[in-house]
Amino acid sequence: MVKKVAVLGAGVMGAQIAAHLANCKIPVVLFDLAAKEGPKNSIVTRAVEGLKKLKPAPLGVADDAALIQPANYEEHMDVLKECDLIIEAIAERMDWKTDLYHKIAPYIAKESIVASNTSGLSITQLSEALPETIKPRFCGIHFFNPPRYMTLVELINTPTTGANVLDNLEAFVTSGLGKNVIRAHDTPNFIANRIGIAGMLAIIKQTEAFGLTYDVVDDLTGKKLGRASSGTYRTADVVGLDTMAHVIKTLQDNLGEGKQTPDPFSGIYGTPTVLAKLLEAKSLGQKTGAGFYKKVGRDILRLDPESMEYVAGGAKANDVVGRMLKKPAGERLALLRHAEGAEARFLWAILRDQFHYAAVHLQTIAETARDIDLAMRWGFGAKQGPFELWQQAGWLQVANWIKEDIDTGKTLSSAPLPDWVFTGPVAESNNGTGGVHTPQGSWSASAQQFILKRELPVYARQHFPEDVLGATATSFTTAGTTLHEDDAVRLWTLDDEVLIASIKTKMHAISPDVAEGLALGIDMAEKAYKGMVIWSNDEMFSVGADLQAMLPAFMMSGVAAIDEVEAELQNVMLKMRYSTVPVVSAIRGLALGGGCEMAVYSAKRVVAMESYIGLVEVGVGLVPGAGGLAYIARRAAENAAKSTHKDMLPFLLEGFTAAAMATVGTSAIESRKLGYLLDSDVIVPHVNELLFVAINEARAMFDSGYRAPVKRSFPVVGRNGLATIKGQLVNMRDGGFISAHDFHIASLIAGVVCGGDVDNGTLVTEAYLMTLERKAFCSLLEHPKTQERIMGMMSTGKPVRN
């Protein structure tokens, strides 16, 4: 059990690691040097205040900065004795780190784990500064930046690290922090940065060789190639060119020409000329406002490496190449390799370079090929790792193409591919098609055999963990026992105790068929199961009502047909709320509009940390129509009833404002502040544990004697509250802050949540408020301005402000 963590070093990385610990509600102490002037903790307190201003936000809500306890090495060393895990995250200087270890060693508790957050320094060499009693509890831990959002954490052992230490730490980092763990060998830059930075250096060389511009290369090496949308040079700017240079220097210091550990690719480890010039000019990327790109006003300029001036950017790759990249893997690589155009040949070159590099270094840097592929997915945003793509394209065919290029001197290194590529188990695997990933495990070049994934108890919490191509992992679409399935919904179970409802529509939009499927699921759950969990295995819980599915009915029968559809959807929401067994929403990613309403009408919500929840109907010129506004009014009444405050309006305003402004919680923590989640709801750090926790919550609620809420009336603020809100809206409209149509929509929202033209304190029912919702929703559907917003959203995917 890790009950308390100390983070040593309040720099950018250390402070953000502390922030993520605070997000996960783990008590954390952030250390740094004592300030020479003023309060001794001022270095840390400034760093913590800085967290509130960083983008993307390291904290789920800025107020949680208060959960980070500041400390300094002069006054608070005894606090280290209370910490089960100590993460050292000071600057990447071996001498500074080892000097700090000497100072903290006397204060480390007997069972505590000590880990160095470093992107590439030798963990074994660092361990030599520690006493023999601490060495078995010391290892490397490499968080990727920014720690809240990047899922990869590399753990690195030393020859003296105890086996159970990494097992325990992997369990904590996985379940407690929501990270995906790769165990790396203690080699320079470990796995992800070793492959990733070598790949970026190769891309810089090939950019020059093929005469391409940085914007075109980023277009080629972004989403089109199944990599992070920022491509290569934009990614470098975001990471920081000084950080990139530091990682390159680690390669140079340890693997460059003439070093103790020879590397056949050492020729690419030199600092590129353009990078050296940018570093000299202090143009370090996004943090300094200029790097490979520079933003001037609304324009993004690109660097011209010849003149070192910034010129107009935004150029895109050739459409022909874009079409090539949509072909199946084998055909795609063949087209790129044999093409005449520079862009296509560039892409073959960089893919071949990565295949070549990964194969040559697999034996020394990773236990299996799986670790390299997953490291590139989790650390660099690739949809596939290099070995996965190679295997999918035809193992031996691609291997022979690489060999031909090596033999003809086209590659960055003359090192041959290892023998295991062409002969033995790898070449014979997968019924003779070859490859490093098989149902029997992934290839270990060092062990010369296929090795299965490491099994730890923590992974029993992941029903459908992410795996590599060829591993034949169980798909959630066919797992368990299917009880009902159509084009809209699958109803199934894993344990014969809890029913699972998975929405199948695009982006899990709620169509009439989806509503019918959910209603059927509740009926089935009430008859034979302990509860129902609504869950799907991707980054969309639901984006709300399927407007496109409603259009035919609207065109044929007008608003009356939509009123009927909305009434049915509202009935499903009430059916969920008043079900005799608990309905649990297991939310990850987007829960917008009707998806948010589905969540708030569930008995409980189990939510992944990085979830985005809100009522966003205003963006298409509508009001929430499936019970969202009735929920806001009811929650205001419930919260006011718990307070000694007699005026209910303050409790209503936050919910009204969130709906009227289409405010979306940018984390599960913020969604709780907005009222879309309750304190009793469960926030889960790791998305792959979501279904496990949700099923257990539903089962536990049933076993504890679950009873649905009692249907009851509740008070509303009525016409007095409505007049107050409309007065504020008039000021916003007249001041030019909102348009006339925004004013009209917000007034309709206010009318519903206030309960209409009734006295303050009038008791109403959910059904009454839902009738007001439908009336407002349908009136807007006939409004030309709303129709403009709907058509704009459906055609461009972007909201129209009119």
Side-chain angles (χ1 to χ4, degrees):
M1 287 287 292
V2 175
K3 298 174 183 175
K4 192 171 187 178
V5 179
V7 177
L8 312 182
V12 173
M13 200 63 183
Q16 290 197 66
I17 292 170
H20 187 63
L21 288 159
N23 289 336
C24 298
K25 298 299 179 280
I26 296 161
V28 56
V29 188
L30 182 59
F31 277 83
D32 211 300
L33 297 169
K36 294 179 180 177
E37 297 179 3
K40 291 194 174 181
N41 278 341
S42 59
I43 293 175
V44 174
T45 52
R46 279 198 303 271
V48 172
E49 281 300 306
L51 291 171
K52 301 176 184 179
K53 303 169 188 174
L54 281 179
K55 298 292 179 184
L59 291 160
V61 290
D63 292 349
D64 279 356
L67 300 179
I68 301 171
Q69 178 183 339
N72 65 76
Y73 302 123
E74 274 188 22
E75 299 177 306
H76 306 112
M77 294 292 267
D78 279 341
V79 177
L80 290 175
K81 296 176 182 178
E82 305 168 7
C83 299
D84 309 292
L85 172 63
I86 298 168
I87 300 173
E88 171 272 302
I90 68 171
E92 295 279 280
R93 283 271 302 267
M94 181 73 70
D95 54 341
W96 290 0
K97 288 177 182 282
T98 55
D99 181 57
L100 180 59
Y101 295 172
H102 290 306
K103 292 178 182 175
I104 66 170
Y107 301 93
I108 297 171
K110 290 182 179 179
E111 303 297 326
S112 297
I113 296 174
V114 183
S116 174
N117 182 72
T118 172
S119 60
L121 295 179
S122 169
I123 305 302
T124 302
Q125 192 174 342
L126 285 170
S127 73
E128 291 169 2
L130 290 165
E132 295 298 320
T133 54
I134 298 176
K135 283 183 180 180
R137 293 177 278 124
F138 177 77
C139 64
I141 186 169
H142 179 207
F143 286 86
F144 274 65
N145 193 23
R148 172 183 163 186
Y149 301 95
M150 296 299 291
T151 63
L152 178 61
V153 168
E154 293 175 315
L155 296 183
I156 309 97
N157 68 344
T158 74
T160 55
T161 305
N164 67 317
V165 168
L166 283 194
D167 288 350
N168 292 338
L169 190 54
E170 182 167 341
F172 167 70
V173 170
T174 300
S175 197
L177 301 184
K179 300 303 177 187
N180 293 319
V181 171
I182 294 289
R183 295 197 190 181
H185 294 332
D186 190 11
T187 54
N189 291 340
F190 313 128
I191 296 177
N193 274 346
R194 179 72 174 273
I195 300 290
I197 296 299
M200 292 177 80
L201 289 169
I203 287 172
I204 293 173
K205 279 190 173 292
Q206 300 293 10
T207 299
E208 296 172 359
F210 286 94
L212 302 179
T213 58
Y214 300 139
D215 46 5
V216 169
V217 168
D218 277 353
D219 190 43
L220 287 169
T221 59
K223 284 187 175 179
K224 285 186 172 72
L225 203 61
R227 297 182 177 181
S229 58
S230 51
T232 301
Y233 294 98
R234 177 66 184 145
T235 297
D237 275 356
V238 170
V239 169
L241 303 189
D242 52 342
T243 301
M244 183 179 173
H246 170 78
V247 179
I248 293 170
K249 188 173 187 304
T250 302
L251 293 173
Q252 294 167 348
D253 291 346
N254 294 279
L255 303 170
E257 294 180 16
K259 299 298 179 183
Q260 187 173 3
T261 308
D263 187 327
F265 286 81
S266 60
I268 70 169
Y269 296 156
T271 303
T273 303
V274 64
L275 179 59
K277 290 180 179 178
L278 287 168
L279 292 170
E280 186 179 353
K282 300 281 192 295
S283 298
L284 306 180
Q286 184 172 275
K287 68 178 93 175
T288 60
F292 288 106
Y293 296 97
K294 182 178 182 179
K295 188 173 183 181
V296 178
R298 293 187 176 182
D299 298 324
I300 304 294
L301 307 182
R302 67 163 175 85
L303 183 70
D304 174 11
E306 295 297 323
S307 65
M308 293 302 290
E309 299 291 333
Y310 290 92
V311 299
K316 300 294 182 183
N318 189 303
D319 288 341
V320 174
V321 177
R323 289 195 292 272
M324 289 181 185
L325 291 174
K326 293 178 180 178
K327 300 289 185 182
E331 186 180 350
R332 185 191 325 155
L333 294 193
L335 287 169
L336 295 175
R337 185 171 192 268
H338 297 108
E340 294 184 1
E343 292 176 14
R345 290 185 293 118
F346 161 81
L347 284 175
W348 161 252
I350 65 168
L351 290 170
R352 173 207 63 209
D353 294 340
Q354 192 178 53
F355 298 156
H356 187 193
Y357 190 92
V360 168
H361 291 95
L362 173 59
Q363 180 170 345
T364 55
I365 70 172
E367 183 181 30
T368 71
R370 180 193 307 108
D371 295 330
I372 286 180
D373 281 344
L374 292 180
M376 294 311 295
R377 281 208 226 155
W378 298 334
F380 280 82
K383 286 187 177 178
Q384 284 184 306
F387 287 120
E388 288 181 289
L389 176 56
W390 180 351
Q391 180 168 325
Q392 188 180 29
W395 183 264
L396 289 175
Q397 176 62 80
V398 174
N400 283 315
W401 285 339
I402 299 170
K403 184 178 184 302
E404 286 175 28
D405 284 6
I406 294 170
D407 294 343
T408 54
K410 295 178 181 176
T411 52
L412 297 175
S413 169
S414 59
L417 288 172
D419 291 341
W420 57 259
V421 170
F422 297 100
T423 61
V426 170
E428 297 163 6
S429 68
N430 299 311
N431 298 316
T433 59
V436 290
H437 303 306
T438 72
Q440 295 74 43
S442 292
W443 182 249
S444 170
S446 54
Q448 289 290 296
Q449 65 182 35
F450 294 105
I451 295 178
L452 288 168
K453 287 194 301 184
R454 181 177 294 104
E455 289 189 8
L456 294 175
V458 68
Y459 293 119
R461 297 169 60 87
Q462 299 184 16
H463 288 301
F464 303 102
E466 191 173 345
D467 212 334
V468 289
L469 175 82
T472 62
T474 302
S475 170
F476 83 97
T477 58
T478 57
T481 303
T482 300
L483 305 166
H484 167 83
E485 186 167 14
D486 54 32
D487 291 339
V489 171
R490 180 185 179 222
L491 303 174
W492 56 292
T493 181
L494 279 172
D495 59 4
D496 295 325
E497 288 193 333
V498 175
L499 186 72
I500 304 166
S502 295
I503 301 173
K504 296 171 58 180
T505 53
K506 184 178 180 182
M507 301 177 79
H508 305 157
I510 306 170
S511 65
D513 288 343
V514 169
E516 186 178 331
L518 292 173
L520 174 63
I522 295 167
D523 288 338
M524 294 170 65
E526 287 183 324
K527 288 177 182 176
Y529 294 90
K530 292 185 174 183
M532 185 174 90
V533 169
I534 304 172
W535 171 87
S536 294
N537 194 33
D538 60 29
E539 294 304 319
M540 300 284 176
F541 177 69
S542 173
V543 294
D546 188 344
L547 294 176
Q548 207 152 11
M550 293 183 185
L551 277 181
F554 180 61
M555 298 300 290
M556 289 179 62
S557 306
V559 165
I562 301 303
D563 184 86
E564 187 177 329
V565 170
E566 283 296 298
E568 284 303 313
L569 191 50
Q570 290 174 341
N571 286 336
V572 171
M573 297 301 173
L574 292 175
K575 191 178 181 76
M576 289 170 56
R577 174 166 166 75
Y578 295 108
S579 168
T580 57
V581 295
V583 176
V584 176
S585 283
I587 303 166
R588 63 183 288 189
L590 301 179
L592 305 177
C596 175
E597 289 167 315
M598 200 156 50
V600 298
Y601 276 88
S602 298
K604 193 160 196 172
R605 289 137 295 275
V606 175
V607 191
M609 180 78 72
E610 298 307 323
S611 296
Y612 304 86
I613 305 174
L615 298 169
V616 296
E617 287 83 354
V618 170
V620 287
L622 294 169
V623 300
L629 300 184
Y631 167 79
I632 288 171
R634 175 172 58 79
R635 284 294 299 157
E638 290 170 349
N639 289 334
K642 297 173 187 174
S643 170
T644 56
H645 204 294
K646 293 183 179 180
D647 185 3
M648 194 164 60
L649 186 60
F651 297 97
L652 184 67
L653 284 175
E654 186 172 62
F656 160 76
T657 304
M661 301 295 291
T663 305
V664 175
T666 56
S667 68
I669 303 169
E670 188 175 24
S671 295
R672 183 176 271 162
K673 281 196 74 175
L674 291 172
Y676 296 133
L677 300 180
L678 307 182
D679 288 341
S680 57
D681 292 329
V682 181
I683 296 177
V684 180
H686 203 297
V687 293
N688 288 344
E689 295 185 359
L690 199 61
L691 181 58
F692 173 88
V693 176
I695 289 172
N696 279 324
E697 286 291 329
R699 188 188 295 119
M701 290 170 75
F702 180 90
D703 290 342
S704 299
Y706 176 78
R707 290 288 182 270
V710 176
K711 292 184 181 180
R712 64 179 68 195
S713 300
F714 49 87
V716 290
V717 297
R719 65 177 72 87
N720 291 345
L722 177 57
T724 301
I725 292 174
K726 287 191 75 170
Q728 295 174 353
L729 292 174
V730 166
N731 291 335
M732 293 179 70
R733 181 196 61 194
D734 294 349
F737 296 104
I738 59 175
S739 70
H741 195 50
D742 289 329
F743 171 81
H744 177 57
I745 298 168
S747 297
L748 289 175
I749 292 173
V752 177
V753 299
C754 292
D757 188 17
V758 297
D759 292 334
N760 182 25
T762 298
L763 297 179
V764 302
T765 63
E766 288 168 303
Y768 165 79
L769 291 173
M770 285 181 171
T771 301
L772 295 182
E773 268 188 4
R774 291 202 310 278
K775 183 179 178 182
F777 185 93
C778 291
S779 72
L780 284 167
L781 265 183
E782 295 183 301
H783 199 295
K785 292 286 187 183
T786 284
Q787 291 173 2
E788 283 179 21
R789 291 192 183 188
I790 292 173
M791 296 310 295
M793 178 64 77
M794 289 174 64
S795 59
T796 67
K798 296 179 181 178
V800 174
R801 306 310 301 173
N802 57 359

